[in-house]
């Protein structure tokens, strides 16, 4: 049986990807030019943003749908823990190229976390398993 990956809420997923990308681009000059005051404001804003994202995720996620696939749910939790661990390994100091590479890596890891939270597996439309669900 072939499964297809899809997002729970495509518009929300795209919005979050956009926020991640813009936030990453804004972070680079703050680190490179060592604007410590602005960096602290930025980090505070990031903390508030992460709290907001968790709130939105917990309020909008159809938990029953996620829990239907227990193996997928377990993989999602393990992946999130692994991605968070990877984020702790990244250092934001050095040359501009090093900062850009590390920040880009952090962006990729964040996209992985976001995908882990919002992507689900489902049978393609027209497959035998999707007909069984409809009957």
């Amino acid at each position: 049986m072939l499964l297809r990956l899809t997002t729970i809420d495509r518009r929300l997923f795209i919005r979050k990807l956009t926020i991640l990308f813009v936030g990453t681009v804004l972070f680079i000059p703050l680190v490179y030019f060592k604007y410590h005051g602005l960096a602290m404001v930025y980090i505070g804003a990031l903390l508030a943003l992460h709290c907001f994202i968790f709130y939105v995720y917990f309020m909008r996620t159809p938990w029953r749908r996620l829990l239907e696939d227990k193996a997928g749910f377990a993989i999602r939790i393990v992946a999130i823990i692994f991605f968070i661990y990877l984020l702790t390994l990244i250092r934001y100091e050095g040359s501009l190229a090093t900062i850009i590479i590390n920040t880009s890596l952090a962006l990729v890891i964040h996209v992985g976390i976001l995908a882990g939270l919002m992507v689900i597996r489902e049978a393609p439309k027209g497959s035998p398993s999707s007909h069984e669900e409809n009957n």
Side-chain angles (χ1 to χ4, degrees):
M1 172 175 82
L2 291 173
L3 293 175
R4 153 180 106 95
L5 298 177
T6 185
T7 57
I8 294 170
D9 183 341
R10 185 178 179 91
R11 284 189 7 216
L12 183 61
F13 185 74
I14 297 297
R15 247 185 314 188
K16 287 181 180 182
L17 282 178
T18 303
I19 290 169
L20 276 173
F21 181 76
V22 170
T24 300
V25 170
L26 292 175
F27 184 66
I28 293 170
L30 295 178
V31 172
Y32 182 69
F33 294 113
K34 296 179 176 53
Y35 294 136
H36 297 293
L38 287 175
M40 294 308 283
V41 169
Y42 179 85
I43 290 169
L46 277 181
L47 202 58
L49 177 65
H50 280 83
C51 291
F52 176 73
I53 288 171
F54 278 120
Y55 169 77
V56 169
Y57 177 74
F58 285 116
M59 297 308 291
R60 288 189 151 194
T61 299
W63 288 94
R64 187 177 308 133
R65 189 171 177 192
L66 286 176
L67 291 172
E68 287 173 356
D69 179 13
K70 294 199 185 341
F73 187 73
I75 291 169
R76 179 177 284 116
I77 298 301
V78 169
I80 291 168
I81 292 168
F82 177 69
F83 284 136
I84 291 170
Y85 167 72
L86 288 178
L87 284 172
T88 66
L89 301 177
I90 297 173
R91 300 291 174 249
Y92 301 101
E93 52 196 20
S95 68
L96 181 59
T98 301
I99 293 170
I100 290 172
I101 290 168
N102 287 339
T103 306
S104 298
L105 180 59
L107 175 65
V108 169
I109 292 169
H110 272 87
V111 170
I113 292 171
L114 183 60
L117 292 172
M118 296 192 69
V119 172
I120 58 172
R121 301 178 303 166
E122 62 182 28
K125 293 178 182 169
S127 72
S129 61
S130 69
H131 291 297
E132 293 169 6
E133 293 172 3
N134 294 332
N135 294 328

